[in-house]
Amino acid sequence: HVQLVESGGGSVQAGGSLKLSCAASGRTDRQYCMAWFRQGPGKDREGVANLNSDGSTTYSDSVRGRFTISRDNAKNTLYLQMNSLKPEDTAMYYCAADQRDFCPTNTWHVQATFDYWGQGTQVTVS
């Protein structure tokens, strides 16, 4: 198992930036497909970015070009750099992991794909 803890959320004005972190502990010696999801008020949880074990990434259309997912293997930490934030980016952001080398192409954005979740960190853009 792996445990995930997010941090870095907060309130920011439109056009601003935030960087979220997700610290992993436990069985970090295994390969995981990693992802960031978000859930806005009254909305379903949606995938915004994923990172495969080979470093390849995928982004949702709504954040492509503005958000960047990355990791620091030495620190067992996943990041989400969010630039040019918009009010519609307001949501609880979650880190997710699934034990496989590559996130599934067609279902990486689906909540049920992932077994491990953090508790979330709130991002509010006004």
Side-chain angles (χ1 to χ4, degrees):
H1 295 289
V2 64
Q3 292 78 45
L4 305 172
V5 179
E6 303 95 333
S7 61
S11 297
V12 64
Q13 291 188 335
S17 298
L18 280 175
K19 187 173 185 178
L20 306 183
S21 299
C22 171
S25 60
R27 294 305 303 266
T28 58
D29 57 315
R30 298 182 176 179
Q31 298 296 326
Y32 292 90
C33 151
M34 303 294 297
W36 285 98
F37 279 69
R38 67 185 181 186
Q39 188 166 15
K43 298 182 179 180
D44 293 333
R45 193 171 298 189
E46 61 172 353
V48 297
N50 76 45
L51 178 67
N52 293 307
S53 60
D54 67 349
S56 58
T57 59
T58 303
Y59 296 92
S60 67
D61 290 344
S62 60
V63 307
R64 188 178 296 114
R66 300 188 298 121
F67 290 11
T68 302
I69 188 171
S70 63
R71 68 184 175 209
D72 184 329
N73 290 332
K75 296 182 178 180
N76 293 320
T77 301
L78 183 74
Y79 301 102
L80 186 68
Q81 177 67 48
M82 305 185 295
N83 298 329
S84 303
L85 283 161
K86 305 175 181 179
E88 50 264 44
D89 295 319
T90 294
M92 184 73 78
Y93 283 72
Y94 298 90
C95 174
D98 192 65
Q99 191 178 333
R100 62 178 89 195
D101 287 343
F102 293 94
C103 302
T105 302
N106 296 327
T107 60
W108 71 266
H109 60 289
V110 176
Q111 184 177 350
T113 297
F114 292 84
D115 288 334
Y116 305 106
W117 292 87
Q119 83 290 347
T121 186
Q122 178 68 39
V123 172
T124 302
V125 185
S126 60

